[in-house]
Amino acid sequence: MIFRDRTEAGHLLAERVAETVGEGEHALVLALPRGGLPVAAPIAERLGADLDIVVVRKLGAPGWSEFGVGAIAEDGPPVYDRDNLRYARTTEQDMAETLAAERAELHRRVHRYRGSRPAPPVTGRVVVLVDDGLATGVTAHAALRWIRGRDPARVLLAVPVCAPQARDLLAPETDGVICLSAPPEFSAVGYWYEDFGQLTDDDVDEVMRRFHHALK
């Protein structure tokens, strides 16, 4: 399945999510910015749910920043991929400098996207975590740990496309993974979109304004 763009993927995914989450459940849809927001917006609209964000930063291996060995979400602890650490021949201790830099960038983005608004209340709510795809799953893993630490009633992970291995890895961290397509030969998330353009902070602002958040 190839999606035209993230918005189309979000509309298709919304129908599947609505089979699991009722409009009366006062759900909270949380997107991973930037790419998860255009997918999450149609889901929130379909459910009549609140929409917000959970900010996550990938932790790249020292000297190999594009290769993610872990991730952090908001004020949560780092979550590491043990296999990727071994492959990169690095350790959690080696990641201290990268962790400090990425936590500083995470705090900057939280302030940029949310301003003075507090993190969304999660306790007792049905939470749907949304991204535009799931490759290694490490960033979603960090976000799920952050959500779980705030005592939701249920937490679902919803993505248009996912690597089967990542889906299976994260399933125990959720009350359900909703994925429209899990191709055995996954490659990369962008391969499954005709338009997978880079999004900006202004794109984040535009989506969030539609849901009446006063961003600064």
Side-chain angles (χ1 to χ4, degrees), residues 77-150:
V79 174
Y80 289 103
D81 183 310
R82 301 297 170 190
D83 290 338
N84 284 1
L85 281 173
R86 284 192 293 271
Y87 185 81
R89 297 182 179 180
T90 191
T91 66
E92 291 186 28
Q93 290 72 28
D94 296 332
M95 295 297 297
E97 185 175 337
T98 299
L99 176 60
E102 292 298 346
R103 197 172 289 284
E105 175 61 14
L106 187 148
H107 290 158
R108 185 197 71 80
R109 291 198 180 205
V110 167
H111 181 73
R112 172 63 182 78
Y113 296 151
R114 195 180 289 140
S116 59
R117 276 191 309 115
V122 169
T123 302
R125 303 187 71 177
V126 176
V127 179
V128 183
L129 178 67
V130 180
D131 203 1
D132 53 14
L134 199 64
T136 66
V138 68
T139 53
H141 195 178
L144 287 167
R145 288 283 179 90
W146 182 83
I147 294 166
R148 279 292 192 198
R150 281 150 181 78

Side-chain angles (χ1 to χ4, degrees), residues 57-76:
R57 292 293 295 172
K58 179 178 70 176
L59 301 174
W64 193 3
S65 62
E66 290 304 309
F67 185 71
V69 298
I72 49 172
E74 303 274 341
D75 55 353

Side-chain angles (χ1 to χ4, degrees), residues 1-16 35 37-43 132 159-160 180 192-195:
M1 179 183 291
I2 303 293
F3 303 100
R4 183 170 65 247
D5 56 22
R6 293 177 177 93
T7 299
E8 180 192 61
H11 282 290
L12 294 171
L13 188 58
E15 295 308 312
R16 284 284 300 276
L37 261 175
V39 182
I43 297 173
D132 53 14
V159 292
L180 298 180
W192 305 99
Y193 288 84
E194 293 176 5
D195 178 2

Side-chain angles (χ1 to χ4, degrees), residues 17 21 26 31 67 69 71 90-91 95-96 100 168 174 190 197 205 211:
V17 174
V21 181
H26 188 48
F67 185 71
V69 298
T90 191
T91 66
M95 295 297 297
D168 296 345
T174 77
D205 291 349
F211 286 81

